[in-house]
Amino acid sequence: MSTELTKSTSWKALEKHYEEIKNVHLRTMFEKDEKRGLRLKIDEIGIYFDYSKHRITDETLDLLFGLAKNRDIEKRRAAMFSGEKINTTENRAVLHTALRAPKGSTILLDGHNVVPDVHAVLDKMTDFSNKIRSGEWKGFTGNPIKNIVNIGIGGSDLGPVMAYEALKHFSAKELLFRFVSNVDGSDFAEAVIDLDAEETLFIISSKTFITIETMTNAQTARSWALAKLGDASAVARHFVAVSTNEKEVTKFGIDPQNMFGFWDWVGGRYSMSAAIGLSTMIAIGSENYHRMLNGLNEMDEHFRTAPMENNIPVIIGLLGLWYTSFFDAQTQAVFPYDRYLHRFPAYLQQLTMESNGKHITLDGQTVNYQTGAIYWGEPGTNGQHSFYQLIHQGTKLIPCDFIGFKKSLNNLPPHQDYLIANMIAQGEALAFGKTVDEVKAEGVAESIVPHKVFEGNRPSSTFFLDKVSPENLGKLVAMYEHAVFVQGAIWDINPYDQMGVELGKVLAQNIIPELQDTTKAIHHDSSTNALIELYRK
Ligand code: G6Q
């Protein structure tokens, strides 16, 4: 059992402080400090981050910053940015920040500058996406490509889908994009149901190129395309790969010329700014794609250089830790008030939960504190008409992130006013609630009063940006990536491996032959055996 963190002076100080402020209401905090809403905010690099509606005081913040300093956040951050192998269980560097480093910069990994490698791939992606977008790239029968199907799962799917949806406004309207991830054959079947193979390009996105879901879908896509195109040499015009595994890509029949590489120092869930973003670049064009990379880089630089007290990812990370490890909050909700970000919560779910869903410290001991929260969410205002009830009046404490934009990409008054009014109203209602006296003043019958009382004191952050844009999407993605880093560093866990996900990949492999060969003896537990027998019948 690792007790180092909880025995530290800064942790103990936070425990004591928690006891003192756990019952203090946000109403009181705002009454005591008229300027609280103006003070507890950061307005940097185009993000207005209001964190005044959190159950914190200046002392809480000081103690949290103290904890971060004592846990060597700055040193650990420098280690990540400089390519040290901070993914200790896999002995790898964690350099997704190098994927958006400007041309000409230097990031050394084992003495080798990786930035020129990154830009060589970006240039190759640019060349290819230009050819697809202009129609210069022809399919096997001489037709230009109209449909792009990305086949990948997890980190090789969620980033591309999220970014495509988020930046749809910037996407070439004459191209159609589909995303196939699930090994469920219906996913593939529905994705290609109305497509013409002569005009379809498959991007097989897989870091390892051995993931069963992706390889099964890729083989099915190959058969589907060849059934129409008739000749194995058509693969070269209709299949490209994004991977780190050239051997397997070649084995599949894809010309390495049509492979876009990346490196083992990019984790799957951190790879949307690597070549895994190829579908995004084809959709929005290389100029817009570079705008997204600039946004990511801007947030990287903010995180790397801003003092802790003015550092957005540091504060997000610390607030999350405050609720998870001290208030025992189990979940964190994320509500983008913009339809374009409707897949953002799903993307964040993988980023945060696959990263910090760990209970073993870097030196192999079990933690004695809570780590990574369950992330979830939906776009506003939809959620307001369903599960917000529980956030307002349920028994659970659910910190919320509201993400809103001042301008809509589709100017249809009064929609944006209504949308943003709702977002602001939710944060206000959660924080301040409605007292018994306020309810009574509305003339509510005595017996109904308790049902209409909102205790409030439910925390939230509000992020306000100008509008959905490639830069702003980049900033938001990097913002959460670095918040995850901050928490992982304090909890002393490794956010960059994923042993739990890998277990799933192995377990199914054992059962597949048992489903296919009904004579095979099975030796699982009685429940598993019964399920296998049922399927066999
Ligand atoms: C991401 C995870 C996982 C991974 C998928 C796909 O961090 O490791 O979601 O991205 O399992 O793996 P491949 O890209 O290797 O197919």
Side-chain angles (χ1 to χ4, degrees), residues 174-207:
E174 62 282 8
L175 295 174
L176 189 96
F177 288 81
R178 298 266 162 85
F179 298 86
V180 176
S181 55
N182 204 319
V183 75
D184 179 344
S186 303
D187 203 7
F188 178 81
E190 288 293 340
V192 298
I193 202 160
D194 53 352
L195 303 189
D196 180 349
E198 290 183 36
E199 299 173 338
T200 301
L201 174 82
F202 290 97
I203 303 175
I204 314 300
S205 297
S206 175
K207 181 174 168 181

PDB file of all heavy atoms in Angstrom, residues 174-207:
ATOM      1  N   GLU A 174     -18.433  17.961 -50.652  1.00  0.00           N
ATOM      2  CA  GLU A 174     -18.579  16.966 -51.724  1.00  0.00           C
ATOM      3  C   GLU A 174     -18.016  15.602 -51.318  1.00  0.00           C
ATOM      4  O   GLU A 174     -18.180  14.626 -52.044  1.00  0.00           O
ATOM      5  CB  GLU A 174     -17.938  17.462 -53.033  1.00  0.00           C
ATOM      6  CG  GLU A 174     -16.451  17.735 -53.007  1.00  0.00           C
ATOM      7  CD  GLU A 174     -16.070  19.073 -52.337  1.00  0.00           C
ATOM      8  OE1 GLU A 174     -16.933  19.747 -51.740  1.00  0.00           O
ATOM      9  OE2 GLU A 174     -14.871  19.416 -52.397  1.00  0.00           O
ATOM     10  N   LEU A 175     -17.371  15.540 -50.159  1.00  0.00           N
ATOM     11  CA  LEU A 175     -16.842  14.257 -49.690  1.00  0.00           C
ATOM     12  C   LEU A 175     -17.722  13.726 -48.557  1.00  0.00           C
ATOM     13  O   LEU A 175     -18.221  14.491 -47.732  1.00  0.00           O
ATOM     14  CB  LEU A 175     -15.411  14.423 -49.176  1.00  0.00           C
ATOM     15  CG  LEU A 175     -14.345  14.832 -50.210  1.00  0.00           C
ATOM     16  CD1 LEU A 175     -13.011  15.086 -49.522  1.00  0.00           C
ATOM     17  CD2 LEU A 175     -14.191  13.773 -51.290  1.00  0.00           C
ATOM     18  N   LEU A 176     -17.864  12.402 -48.556  1.00  0.00           N
ATOM     19  CA  LEU A 176     -18.678  11.766 -47.513  1.00  0.00           C
ATOM     20  C   LEU A 176     -17.757  10.979 -46.580  1.00  0.00           C
ATOM     21  O   LEU A 176     -16.869  10.267 -47.072  1.00  0.00           O
ATOM     22  CB  LEU A 176     -19.651  10.810 -48.207  1.00  0.00           C
ATOM     23  CG  LEU A 176     -20.712  10.206 -47.326  1.00  0.00           C
ATOM     24  CD1 LEU A 176     -21.975  11.031 -47.465  1.00  0.00           C
ATOM     25  CD2 LEU A 176     -21.000   8.775 -47.751  1.00  0.00           C
ATOM     26  N   PHE A 177     -17.954  11.119 -45.292  1.00  0.00           N
ATOM     27  CA  PHE A 177     -17.082  10.431 -44.328  1.00  0.00           C
ATOM     28  C   PHE A 177     -17.873   9.445 -43.484  1.00  0.00           C
ATOM     29  O   PHE A 177     -18.965   9.761 -43.019  1.00  0.00           O
ATOM     30  CB  PHE A 177     -16.387  11.450 -43.416  1.00  0.00           C
ATOM     31  CG  PHE A 177     -15.333  12.225 -44.137  1.00  0.00           C
ATOM     32  CD1 PHE A 177     -15.690  13.321 -44.930  1.00  0.00           C
ATOM     33  CD2 PHE A 177     -14.002  11.854 -44.082  1.00  0.00           C
ATOM     34  CE1 PHE A 177     -14.726  14.018 -45.632  1.00  0.00           C
ATOM     35  CE2 PHE A 177     -13.029  12.553 -44.788  1.00  0.00           C
ATOM     36  CZ  PHE A 177     -13.389  13.640 -45.569  1.00  0.00           C
ATOM     37  N   ARG A 178     -17.317   8.257 -43.334  1.00  0.00           N
ATOM     38  CA  ARG A 178     -17.932   7.256 -42.447  1.00  0.00           C
ATOM     39  C   ARG A 178     -16.835   6.697 -41.550  1.00  0.00           C
ATOM     40  O   ARG A 178     -15.659   6.659 -41.944  1.00  0.00           O
ATOM     41  CB  ARG A 178     -18.547   6.114 -43.269  1.00  0.00           C
ATOM     42  CG  ARG A 178     -19.666   6.549 -44.212  1.00  0.00           C
ATOM     43  CD  ARG A 178     -21.038   6.392 -43.553  1.00  0.00           C
ATOM     44  NE  ARG A 178     -22.070   7.165 -44.214  1.00  0.00           N
ATOM     45  CZ  ARG A 178     -22.778   6.778 -45.284  1.00  0.00           C
ATOM     46  NH1 ARG A 178     -22.555   5.587 -45.828  1.00  0.00           N
ATOM     47  NH2 ARG A 178     -23.714   7.545 -45.791  1.00  0.00           N
ATOM     48  N   PHE A 179     -17.235   6.223 -40.387  1.00  0.00           N
ATOM     49  CA  PHE A 179     -16.268   5.691 -39.422  1.00  0.00           C
ATOM     50  C   PHE A 179     -16.741   4.322 -38.950  1.00  0.00           C
ATOM     51  O   PHE A 179     -17.868   4.191 -38.461  1.00  0.00           O
ATOM     52  CB  PHE A 179     -16.126   6.647 -38.239  1.00  0.00           C
ATOM     53  CG  PHE A 179     -15.595   7.996 -38.674  1.00  0.00           C
ATOM     54  CD1 PHE A 179     -16.457   8.993 -39.146  1.00  0.00           C
ATOM     55  CD2 PHE A 179     -14.233   8.251 -38.668  1.00  0.00           C
ATOM     56  CE1 PHE A 179     -15.975  10.217 -39.584  1.00  0.00           C
ATOM     57  CE2 PHE A 179     -13.737   9.488 -39.097  1.00  0.00           C
ATOM     58  CZ  PHE A 179     -14.603  10.464 -39.563  1.00  0.00           C
ATOM     59  N   VAL A 180     -15.905   3.327 -39.125  1.00  0.00           N
ATOM     60  CA  VAL A 180     -16.259   1.966 -38.707  1.00  0.00           C
ATOM     61  C   VAL A 180     -15.302   1.565 -37.590  1.00  0.00           C
ATOM     62  O   VAL A 180     -14.081   1.653 -37.761  1.00  0.00           O
ATOM     63  CB  VAL A 180     -16.103   0.977 -39.887  1.00  0.00           C
ATOM     64  CG1 VAL A 180     -16.387  -0.451 -39.425  1.00  0.00           C
ATOM     65  CG2 VAL A 180     -17.014   1.360 -41.033  1.00  0.00           C
ATOM     66  N   SER A 181     -15.863   1.159 -36.446  1.00  0.00           N
ATOM     67  CA  SER A 181     -14.985   0.773 -35.339  1.00  0.00           C
ATOM     68  C   SER A 181     -15.320  -0.607 -34.792  1.00  0.00           C
ATOM     69  O   SER A 181     -14.435  -1.426 -34.547  1.00  0.00           O
ATOM     70  CB  SER A 181     -15.079   1.810 -34.219  1.00  0.00           C
ATOM     71  OG  SER A 181     -16.421   1.985 -33.811  1.00  0.00           O
ATOM     72  N   ASN A 182     -16.615  -0.879 -34.617  1.00  0.00           N
ATOM     73  CA  ASN A 182     -17.024  -2.074 -33.892  1.00  0.00           C
ATOM     74  C   ASN A 182     -16.793  -3.338 -34.707  1.00  0.00           C
ATOM     75  O   ASN A 182     -16.978  -3.346 -35.923  1.00  0.00           O
ATOM     76  CB  ASN A 182     -18.517  -1.942 -33.565  1.00  0.00           C
ATOM     77  CG  ASN A 182     -18.909  -2.782 -32.382  1.00  0.00           C
ATOM     78  OD1 ASN A 182     -18.459  -3.908 -32.236  1.00  0.00           O
ATOM     79  ND2 ASN A 182     -19.752  -2.238 -31.534  1.00  0.00           N
ATOM     80  N   VAL A 183     -16.446  -4.423 -34.034  1.00  0.00           N
ATOM     81  CA  VAL A 183     -16.276  -5.703 -34.734  1.00  0.00           C
ATOM     82  C   VAL A 183     -17.652  -6.272 -35.127  1.00  0.00           C
ATOM     83  O   VAL A 183     -17.736  -7.203 -35.937  1.00  0.00           O
ATOM     84  CB  VAL A 183     -15.460  -6.705 -33.866  1.00  0.00           C
ATOM     85  CG1 VAL A 183     -16.302  -7.271 -32.730  1.00  0.00           C
ATOM     86  CG2 VAL A 183     -14.862  -7.810 -34.735  1.00  0.00           C
ATOM     87  N   ASP A 184     -18.694  -5.716 -34.581  1.00  0.00           N
ATOM     88  CA  ASP A 184     -20.061  -6.060 -34.992  1.00  0.00           C
ATOM     89  C   ASP A 184     -20.191  -5.769 -36.500  1.00  0.00           C
ATOM     90  O   ASP A 184     -20.054  -4.625 -36.931  1.00  0.00           O
ATOM     91  CB  ASP A 184     -21.019  -5.178 -34.181  1.00  0.00           C
ATOM     92  CG  ASP A 184     -22.474  -5.412 -34.528  1.00  0.00           C
ATOM     93  OD1 ASP A 184     -22.746  -6.015 -35.587  1.00  0.00           O
ATOM     94  OD2 ASP A 184     -23.329  -4.980 -33.737  1.00  0.00           O
ATOM     95  N   GLY A 185     -20.455  -6.821 -37.276  1.00  0.00           N
ATOM     96  CA  GLY A 185     -20.512  -6.676 -38.731  1.00  0.00           C
ATOM     97  C   GLY A 185     -21.506  -5.617 -39.201  1.00  0.00           C
ATOM     98  O   GLY A 185     -21.366  -5.061 -40.296  1.00  0.00           O
ATOM     99  N   SER A 186     -22.495  -5.338 -38.375  1.00  0.00           N
ATOM    100  CA  SER A 186     -23.494  -4.347 -38.766  1.00  0.00           C
ATOM    101  C   SER A 186     -22.872  -2.958 -38.906  1.00  0.00           C
ATOM    102  O   SER A 186     -23.362  -2.129 -39.683  1.00  0.00           O
ATOM    103  CB  SER A 186     -24.618  -4.274 -37.729  1.00  0.00           C
ATOM    104  OG  SER A 186     -25.183  -5.554 -37.579  1.00  0.00           O
ATOM    105  N   ASP A 187     -21.811  -2.709 -38.153  1.00  0.00           N
ATOM    106  CA  ASP A 187     -21.154  -1.405 -38.228  1.00  0.00           C
ATOM    107  C   ASP A 187     -20.612  -1.207 -39.641  1.00  0.00           C
ATOM    108  O   ASP A 187     -20.875  -0.187 -40.293  1.00  0.00           O
ATOM    109  CB  ASP A 187     -20.019  -1.333 -37.194  1.00  0.00           C
ATOM    110  CG  ASP A 187     -19.653   0.099 -36.817  1.00  0.00           C
ATOM    111  OD1 ASP A 187     -20.362   1.026 -37.246  1.00  0.00           O
ATOM    112  OD2 ASP A 187     -18.654   0.299 -36.094  1.00  0.00           O
ATOM    113  N   PHE A 188     -19.896  -2.210 -40.142  1.00  0.00           N
ATOM    114  CA  PHE A 188     -19.344  -2.116 -41.497  1.00  0.00           C
ATOM    115  C   PHE A 188     -20.473  -2.096 -42.541  1.00  0.00           C
ATOM    116  O   PHE A 188     -20.491  -1.245 -43.440  1.00  0.00           O
ATOM    117  CB  PHE A 188     -18.384  -3.283 -41.780  1.00  0.00           C
ATOM    118  CG  PHE A 188     -17.833  -3.229 -43.177  1.00  0.00           C
ATOM    119  CD1 PHE A 188     -16.771  -2.394 -43.476  1.00  0.00           C
ATOM    120  CD2 PHE A 188     -18.421  -3.959 -44.211  1.00  0.00           C
ATOM    121  CE1 PHE A 188     -16.289  -2.285 -44.773  1.00  0.00           C
ATOM    122  CE2 PHE A 188     -17.952  -3.859 -45.509  1.00  0.00           C
ATOM    123  CZ  PHE A 188     -16.878  -3.020 -45.793  1.00  0.00           C
ATOM    124  N   ALA A 189     -21.401  -3.023 -42.372  1.00  0.00           N
ATOM    125  CA  ALA A 189     -22.470  -3.165 -43.380  1.00  0.00           C
ATOM    126  C   ALA A 189     -23.227  -1.848 -43.567  1.00  0.00           C
ATOM    127  O   ALA A 189     -23.458  -1.400 -44.699  1.00  0.00           O
ATOM    128  CB  ALA A 189     -23.430  -4.273 -42.959  1.00  0.00           C
ATOM    129  N   GLU A 190     -23.584  -1.212 -42.465  1.00  0.00           N
ATOM    130  CA  GLU A 190     -24.345   0.036 -42.567  1.00  0.00           C
ATOM    131  C   GLU A 190     -23.480   1.182 -43.124  1.00  0.00           C
ATOM    132  O   GLU A 190     -23.985   2.048 -43.826  1.00  0.00           O
ATOM    133  CB  GLU A 190     -24.915   0.435 -41.198  1.00  0.00           C
ATOM    134  CG  GLU A 190     -26.074  -0.451 -40.732  1.00  0.00           C
ATOM    135  CD  GLU A 190     -27.336  -0.303 -41.588  1.00  0.00           C
ATOM    136  OE1 GLU A 190     -27.489   0.713 -42.293  1.00  0.00           O
ATOM    137  OE2 GLU A 190     -28.178  -1.230 -41.558  1.00  0.00           O
ATOM    138  N   ALA A 191     -22.184   1.134 -42.804  1.00  0.00           N
ATOM    139  CA  ALA A 191     -21.309   2.234 -43.259  1.00  0.00           C
ATOM    140  C   ALA A 191     -21.150   2.246 -44.772  1.00  0.00           C
ATOM    141  O   ALA A 191     -20.952   3.303 -45.368  1.00  0.00           O
ATOM    142  CB  ALA A 191     -19.948   2.136 -42.583  1.00  0.00           C
ATOM    143  N   VAL A 192     -21.215   1.057 -45.399  1.00  0.00           N
ATOM    144  CA  VAL A 192     -20.955   1.025 -46.855  1.00  0.00           C
ATOM    145  C   VAL A 192     -22.223   0.769 -47.669  1.00  0.00           C
ATOM    146  O   VAL A 192     -22.154   0.665 -48.891  1.00  0.00           O
ATOM    147  CB  VAL A 192     -19.886  -0.049 -47.211  1.00  0.00           C
ATOM    148  CG1 VAL A 192     -18.556   0.293 -46.545  1.00  0.00           C
ATOM    149  CG2 VAL A 192     -20.344  -1.454 -46.839  1.00  0.00           C
ATOM    150  N   ILE A 193     -23.349   0.689 -46.993  1.00  0.00           N
ATOM    151  CA  ILE A 193     -24.589   0.224 -47.635  1.00  0.00           C
ATOM    152  C   ILE A 193     -24.909   1.000 -48.923  1.00  0.00           C
ATOM    153  O   ILE A 193     -25.381   0.438 -49.897  1.00  0.00           O
ATOM    154  CB  ILE A 193     -25.754   0.277 -46.610  1.00  0.00           C
ATOM    155  CG1 ILE A 193     -26.867  -0.657 -47.031  1.00  0.00           C
ATOM    156  CG2 ILE A 193     -26.274   1.682 -46.384  1.00  0.00           C
ATOM    157  CD1 ILE A 193     -27.795  -1.042 -45.886  1.00  0.00           C
ATOM    158  N   ASP A 194     -24.627   2.292 -48.920  1.00  0.00           N
ATOM    159  CA  ASP A 194     -24.979   3.107 -50.087  1.00  0.00           C
ATOM    160  C   ASP A 194     -23.739   3.629 -50.822  1.00  0.00           C
ATOM    161  O   ASP A 194     -23.816   4.606 -51.552  1.00  0.00           O
ATOM    162  CB  ASP A 194     -25.858   4.287 -49.636  1.00  0.00           C
ATOM    163  CG  ASP A 194     -25.214   5.078 -48.506  1.00  0.00           C
ATOM    164  OD1 ASP A 194     -24.170   4.630 -47.975  1.00  0.00           O
ATOM    165  OD2 ASP A 194     -25.735   6.146 -48.138  1.00  0.00           O
ATOM    166  N   LEU A 195     -22.600   2.977 -50.597  1.00  0.00           N
ATOM    167  CA  LEU A 195     -21.367   3.485 -51.220  1.00  0.00           C
ATOM    168  C   LEU A 195     -20.993   2.674 -52.455  1.00  0.00           C
ATOM    169  O   LEU A 195     -21.251   1.472 -52.525  1.00  0.00           O
ATOM    170  CB  LEU A 195     -20.190   3.450 -50.222  1.00  0.00           C
ATOM    171  CG  LEU A 195     -20.372   4.205 -48.904  1.00  0.00           C
ATOM    172  CD1 LEU A 195     -19.051   4.243 -48.149  1.00  0.00           C
ATOM    173  CD2 LEU A 195     -20.906   5.620 -49.119  1.00  0.00           C
ATOM    174  N   ASP A 196     -20.344   3.357 -53.377  1.00  0.00           N
ATOM    175  CA  ASP A 196     -19.841   2.717 -54.581  1.00  0.00           C
ATOM    176  C   ASP A 196     -18.344   2.474 -54.370  1.00  0.00           C
ATOM    177  O   ASP A 196     -17.583   3.429 -54.150  1.00  0.00           O
ATOM    178  CB  ASP A 196     -20.091   3.672 -55.768  1.00  0.00           C
ATOM    179  CG  ASP A 196     -19.596   3.087 -57.082  1.00  0.00           C
ATOM    180  OD1 ASP A 196     -18.883   2.065 -57.043  1.00  0.00           O
ATOM    181  OD2 ASP A 196     -19.922   3.676 -58.132  1.00  0.00           O
ATOM    182  N   ALA A 197     -17.937   1.204 -54.459  1.00  0.00           N
ATOM    183  CA  ALA A 197     -16.527   0.860 -54.193  1.00  0.00           C
ATOM    184  C   ALA A 197     -15.573   1.624 -55.107  1.00  0.00           C
ATOM    185  O   ALA A 197     -14.445   1.943 -54.709  1.00  0.00           O
ATOM    186  CB  ALA A 197     -16.324  -0.648 -54.354  1.00  0.00           C
ATOM    187  N   GLU A 198     -16.021   1.931 -56.300  1.00  0.00           N
ATOM    188  CA  GLU A 198     -15.134   2.632 -57.246  1.00  0.00           C
ATOM    189  C   GLU A 198     -14.746   4.024 -56.755  1.00  0.00           C
ATOM    190  O   GLU A 198     -13.752   4.592 -57.193  1.00  0.00           O
ATOM    191  CB  GLU A 198     -15.832   2.781 -58.607  1.00  0.00           C
ATOM    192  CG  GLU A 198     -15.994   1.470 -59.340  1.00  0.00           C
ATOM    193  CD  GLU A 198     -16.631   1.671 -60.711  1.00  0.00           C
ATOM    194  OE1 GLU A 198     -16.351   2.699 -61.363  1.00  0.00           O
ATOM    195  OE2 GLU A 198     -17.422   0.811 -61.108  1.00  0.00           O
ATOM    196  N   GLU A 199     -15.577   4.568 -55.841  1.00  0.00           N
ATOM    197  CA  GLU A 199     -15.333   5.944 -55.382  1.00  0.00           C
ATOM    198  C   GLU A 199     -14.997   5.990 -53.896  1.00  0.00           C
ATOM    199  O   GLU A 199     -15.131   7.030 -53.248  1.00  0.00           O
ATOM    200  CB  GLU A 199     -16.594   6.781 -55.633  1.00  0.00           C
ATOM    201  CG  GLU A 199     -16.974   6.849 -57.093  1.00  0.00           C
ATOM    202  CD  GLU A 199     -18.304   7.535 -57.314  1.00  0.00           C
ATOM    203  OE1 GLU A 199     -19.123   7.591 -56.366  1.00  0.00           O
ATOM    204  OE2 GLU A 199     -18.529   8.015 -58.436  1.00  0.00           O
ATOM    205  N   THR A 200     -14.621   4.816 -53.345  1.00  0.00           N
ATOM    206  CA  THR A 200     -14.445   4.753 -51.894  1.00  0.00           C
ATOM    207  C   THR A 200     -12.992   4.477 -51.514  1.00  0.00           C
ATOM    208  O   THR A 200     -12.350   3.597 -52.076  1.00  0.00           O
ATOM    209  CB  THR A 200     -15.358   3.648 -51.306  1.00  0.00           C
ATOM    210  OG1 THR A 200     -16.705   3.967 -51.641  1.00  0.00           O
ATOM    211  CG2 THR A 200     -15.232   3.544 -49.799  1.00  0.00           C
ATOM    212  N   LEU A 201     -12.522   5.246 -50.533  1.00  0.00           N
ATOM    213  CA  LEU A 201     -11.171   5.049 -49.997  1.00  0.00           C
ATOM    214  C   LEU A 201     -11.299   4.581 -48.549  1.00  0.00           C
ATOM    215  O   LEU A 201     -12.032   5.176 -47.769  1.00  0.00           O
ATOM    216  CB  LEU A 201     -10.400   6.374 -50.021  1.00  0.00           C
ATOM    217  CG  LEU A 201      -9.017   6.316 -49.353  1.00  0.00           C
ATOM    218  CD1 LEU A 201      -7.982   5.736 -50.317  1.00  0.00           C
ATOM    219  CD2 LEU A 201      -8.577   7.703 -48.878  1.00  0.00           C
ATOM    220  N   PHE A 202     -10.582   3.511 -48.229  1.00  0.00           N
ATOM    221  CA  PHE A 202     -10.546   3.051 -46.832  1.00  0.00           C
ATOM    222  C   PHE A 202      -9.230   3.480 -46.198  1.00  0.00           C
ATOM    223  O   PHE A 202      -8.155   3.236 -46.762  1.00  0.00           O
ATOM    224  CB  PHE A 202     -10.666   1.526 -46.763  1.00  0.00           C
ATOM    225  CG  PHE A 202     -12.032   1.023 -47.151  1.00  0.00           C
ATOM    226  CD1 PHE A 202     -12.285   0.561 -48.443  1.00  0.00           C
ATOM    227  CD2 PHE A 202     -13.064   1.022 -46.225  1.00  0.00           C
ATOM    228  CE1 PHE A 202     -13.553   0.113 -48.803  1.00  0.00           C
ATOM    229  CE2 PHE A 202     -14.331   0.574 -46.570  1.00  0.00           C
ATOM    230  CZ  PHE A 202     -14.573   0.124 -47.865  1.00  0.00           C
ATOM    231  N   ILE A 203      -9.347   4.112 -45.035  1.00  0.00           N
ATOM    232  CA  ILE A 203      -8.132   4.417 -44.253  1.00  0.00           C
ATOM    233  C   ILE A 203      -8.113   3.406 -43.111  1.00  0.00           C
ATOM    234  O   ILE A 203      -8.988   3.439 -42.236  1.00  0.00           O
ATOM    235  CB  ILE A 203      -8.174   5.845 -43.668  1.00  0.00           C
ATOM    236  CG1 ILE A 203      -8.358   6.881 -44.784  1.00  0.00           C
ATOM    237  CG2 ILE A 203      -6.912   6.129 -42.878  1.00  0.00           C
ATOM    238  CD1 ILE A 203      -8.520   8.315 -44.263  1.00  0.00           C
ATOM    239  N   ILE A 204      -7.146   2.505 -43.139  1.00  0.00           N
ATOM    240  CA  ILE A 204      -7.058   1.535 -42.039  1.00  0.00           C
ATOM    241  C   ILE A 204      -6.131   2.138 -40.986  1.00  0.00           C
ATOM    242  O   ILE A 204      -4.926   2.260 -41.176  1.00  0.00           O
ATOM    243  CB  ILE A 204      -6.501   0.163 -42.519  1.00  0.00           C
ATOM    244  CG1 ILE A 204      -7.187  -0.292 -43.823  1.00  0.00           C
ATOM    245  CG2 ILE A 204      -6.639  -0.872 -41.415  1.00  0.00           C
ATOM    246  CD1 ILE A 204      -8.685  -0.465 -43.743  1.00  0.00           C
ATOM    247  N   SER A 205      -6.765   2.553 -39.877  1.00  0.00           N
ATOM    248  CA  SER A 205      -6.029   3.270 -38.827  1.00  0.00           C
ATOM    249  C   SER A 205      -5.786   2.349 -37.644  1.00  0.00           C
ATOM    250  O   SER A 205      -6.729   1.988 -36.931  1.00  0.00           O
ATOM    251  CB  SER A 205      -6.843   4.480 -38.361  1.00  0.00           C
ATOM    252  OG  SER A 205      -7.009   5.395 -39.418  1.00  0.00           O
ATOM    253  N   SER A 206      -4.575   1.952 -37.469  1.00  0.00           N
ATOM    254  CA  SER A 206      -4.265   1.097 -36.323  1.00  0.00           C
ATOM    255  C   SER A 206      -2.790   1.234 -35.985  1.00  0.00           C
ATOM    256  O   SER A 206      -1.937   0.932 -36.824  1.00  0.00           O
ATOM    257  CB  SER A 206      -4.595  -0.361 -36.631  1.00  0.00           C
ATOM    258  OG  SER A 206      -4.185  -1.186 -35.570  1.00  0.00           O
ATOM    259  N   LYS A 207      -2.528   1.678 -34.770  1.00  0.00           N
ATOM    260  CA  LYS A 207      -1.143   1.856 -34.349  1.00  0.00           C
ATOM    261  C   LYS A 207      -0.389   0.526 -34.498  1.00  0.00           C
ATOM    262  O   LYS A 207       0.694   0.467 -35.055  1.00  0.00           O
ATOM    263  CB  LYS A 207      -1.129   2.345 -32.896  1.00  0.00           C
ATOM    264  CG  LYS A 207       0.246   2.589 -32.339  1.00  0.00           C
ATOM    265  CD  LYS A 207       0.121   3.208 -30.942  1.00  0.00           C
ATOM    266  CE  LYS A 207       1.469   3.191 -30.231  1.00  0.00           C
ATOM    267  NZ  LYS A 207       1.393   3.757 -28.884  1.00  0.00           N
TER     268      LYS A 207
END
